[in-house]
Amino acid sequence: MTPRPHSHELHTVDQVRALDRRAIEVLGIPGIELMRRAAAAAFASLQRHWPQARRIAVYCGPGNNGGDGFLLGALALQEGYQVMLFALSGEARGDAAAARARFEEAGGQVQMWSAVTGLPVADVHVDALYGTGLARAPEPAVADLLWRLNAGGEPILALDVPSGLNADTGQCPGEAIKADVTVSFIAHKRGLHTGQAADRVGVLELDTLDLPEELWDGIAPDAELLHAATLPPRPRHAHKGSNGHVLAIGGDLGTAGAIRMSGEAALRAGAGLVSVATREANLTALNSARPELMAHGVDGPQSLQPLLQRADVLALGPGLGQGAWGHALWLTALDMAMPTVLDADGLNLLAREPRVFEAATVITPHPGEAARLLESSVAGIEADRYAAVRALARKYGAVAVLKGAGSLIADPHGRVAVCPWGNPGMATGGMGDLLTGIVAALLAQGCEAWEAACLGVGLHARAGDAAAADGGERGLMATDLLAPLRRLLNGLDA
């Protein structure tokens, strides 16, 4: 593989098609040559991942993705593989027709796919059906083939994009291939990094097909993947006042755990001081469990004001509730126009009473909260997570984090970053409370809102992966992330 230096860049389908056209029309690289390079990259991946394979089944659509499959089949025949190749139709278009002819010239036989015959026995199945060319649900006959391939349990290599997966949004409007390995060509498609793509792409590889760097000139990526990062070492003369004072506000009756976890995460993420404004009834438990938190009982705005005046950053919402007590604290806190991280009931109150933030603010909704904030539905949010996170950032004038598989971060100017880490074990209560505290601590230590959100989301997800690696995904608890979080922040783990 030959990934380009900027392989963290993510593009839309239209952008990748523009790159493809530029390679052909401006750089003078014939389309069939691009297919040959793609086929060679995919065949090399097949040999790398399944070195013992000798029988492959290739499924080709009528377009360029099918052309890649025909040429992969020709390469496999030349290497002595047994190749069974199935086409969806008797015709291929453009360069794909030339690729089909090359397969037949190499001694290959093209069979028409028929569900009646069932899947052949193969060591590896190669999906070359649609690539980026499908943004709707596959037609029933093809959906049946995709279902059979998934149910067969044999390894699947997808060329460019698993068929049925929308390469722009990461959603599957119908049946979609669940690949073991996906080899993507020219540039990363943004949809392969968020949403349902997490269950479809398997191991994702990129091959830029030896195209020159000039191909990308003038085409800015739509989004970018986060890099593993942390904060620099502290100066030796640092003291607690150098690292900011976070005030965590929340913990209505029965939800003390939420604000405790948020406050503790802020401490573990390096805040110099963390105060907690909560119900009086929670103080004994908080002081016993984590005496480093400076817990204060507040019964309303008047008792909250002195705490606000001493703080640098607010973590507002975990366990706050939406009753009179929580609403009064929410209004008082936001009216201070301080750097703020807003989550949980802080977001539910924002959906009821929208405002545009002037101070540095990070909002961290999950899809349900995002739906309320945008007056949409969860299905509407998940249909295009990129559009949703950008809309959130614009509407509220904040840096927005749309949580979920492939969490997205956006600023009001349209910039988007994608988190490549995280695991299903993190789908448990309290994970969002931790993220709120982490991002607040980073703001308190001098990060700008965008930097704090990107770094915080990345550290949170990487800590989740480290905790899952230690004991598995099932049974993972939010507080399990605190020890690996501290190590990551101090550069002790890669």
Side-chain angles (χ1 to χ4, degrees):
M1 291 190 306
T2 55
R4 64 190 289 253
H6 307 295
S7 59
H8 65 287
E9 297 175 349
L10 306 181
H11 292 77
T12 65
V13 168
D14 284 345
Q15 286 179 319
V16 177
R17 287 174 179 163
L19 289 168
D20 190 76
R21 287 195 302 272
R22 181 183 287 188
I24 296 170
E25 297 170 4
V26 178
L27 301 183
I29 303 172
I32 191 69
E33 170 60 16
L34 294 176
M35 281 186 184
R36 186 199 65 77
R37 295 183 189 184
F43 186 55
S45 178
L46 187 153
Q47 292 179 303
R48 207 165 43 247
H49 288 281
W50 299 283
Q52 305 304 317
R54 302 310 299 169
R55 299 170 301 175
I56 65 171
V58 186
Y59 305 85
C60 294
N64 287 349
N65 197 239
D68 299 339
F70 284 121
L71 293 184
L72 182 149
L75 286 173
L77 285 173
Q78 293 166 10
E79 293 295 321
Y81 283 66
Q82 179 185 341
V83 180
M84 298 156 284
L85 192 145
F86 300 89
L88 293 183
S89 69
E91 297 181 357
R93 301 189 297 264
D95 291 323
R100 177 172 179 156
R102 291 191 183 185
F103 173 73
E104 292 173 330
E105 290 166 4
Q109 180 181 359
V110 178
Q111 305 176 60
M112 295 299 297
W113 166 252
S114 170
V116 175
T117 59
L119 291 180
V121 177
D123 300 316
V124 180
H125 296 271
V126 179
D127 165 28
L129 291 166
Y130 288 122
T132 61
L134 191 70
R136 54 174 173 76
E139 58 196 49
V142 179
D144 178 74
L145 170 57
L146 303 185
W147 180 87
R148 287 169 184 261
L149 287 167
N150 290 335
E154 293 170 334
I156 300 175
L157 171 67
L159 306 192
D160 209 19
V161 177
S163 291
L165 174 68
N166 187 311
D168 258 341
T169 67
Q171 292 309 103
C172 303
E175 189 67 52
I177 283 292
K178 187 172 184 179
D180 295 276
V181 178
T182 298
V183 183
S184 202
F185 307 126
I186 301 182
H188 277 305
K189 290 79 184 168
R190 67 178 197 175
L192 273 62
H193 297 269
T194 195
Q196 292 176 312
D199 287 318
R200 300 294 169 176
V201 300
V203 176
L204 180 59
E205 301 175 346
L206 173 67
D207 196 291
T208 58
L209 309 186
D210 290 322
L211 293 169
E213 185 71 17
E214 65 187 277
L215 179 70
W216 286 266
D217 290 346
I219 298 183
D222 181 77
E224 62 180 24
L225 289 173
L226 293 177
H227 294 284
T230 189
L231 292 176
R234 286 180 170 173
R236 294 298 89 192
H237 64 276
H239 55 84
K240 61 187 179 185
S242 307
N243 299 300
H245 187 165
V246 173
L247 174 61
I249 305 171
D252 201 352
L253 297 175
T255 58
I259 202 64
R260 178 257 168 111
M261 285 187 289
S262 190
E264 186 168 357
L267 284 172
R268 291 299 188 191
L273 295 167
V274 178
S275 296
V276 176
T278 188
R279 289 281 194 178
E280 187 83 28
N282 297 332
L283 296 185
T284 299
L286 283 170
N287 287 329
S288 299
R290 183 52 64 203
E292 296 89 346
L293 293 172
M294 297 180 289
H296 303 266
V298 296
D299 55 10
Q302 187 172 359
S303 52
L304 181 62
Q305 281 289 353
L307 303 178
L308 290 169
Q309 291 168 7
R310 293 197 294 270
D312 300 310
V313 174
L314 306 181
L316 178 59
L320 183 66
Q322 299 179 58
W325 178 81
H327 183 245
L329 299 187
W330 182 84
L331 279 175
T332 303
L334 291 186
D335 285 347
M336 293 292 289
M338 297 171 60
T340 299
V341 183
L342 202 62
D343 187 33
D345 283 323
L347 296 174
N348 291 325
L349 290 167
L350 181 64
R352 284 166 36 185
E353 301 177 31
R355 63 170 66 195
V356 178
F357 295 100
E358 296 181 5
T361 302
V362 179
I363 59 175
T364 61
H366 57 58
E369 292 160 343
R372 291 187 282 277
L373 288 166
L374 292 177
E375 300 179 84
S376 181
S377 64
V378 172
I381 297 297
E382 294 287 29
D384 191 338
R385 288 170 55 83
Y386 288 93
V389 76
R390 285 186 164 113
L392 286 164
R394 285 195 305 270
K395 180 175 180 178
Y396 295 100
V399 172
V401 177
L402 179 56
K403 296 182 287 196
S407 291
L408 306 179
I409 306 106
D411 70 9
H413 307 293
R415 178 169 46 170
V416 174
V418 185
C419 179
W421 308 289
N423 64 82
M426 298 175 69
T428 60
M431 290 291 176
D433 302 322
L434 254 64
L435 179 62
T436 299
I438 293 167
V439 176
L442 296 173
L443 282 172
Q445 291 170 85
C447 293
E448 299 293 331
W450 172 259
E451 181 187 7
C454 290
L455 181 55
V457 168
L459 288 167
H460 180 259
R462 291 166 61 205
D465 286 346
D470 184 53
E473 294 177 356
R474 280 195 172 89
L476 187 65
M477 296 191 300
T479 51
D480 293 337
L481 275 61
L482 293 174
L485 169 66
R486 184 182 175 195
R487 293 185 60 84
L488 287 165
L489 260 170
N490 287 286
L492 300 178
D493 292 324

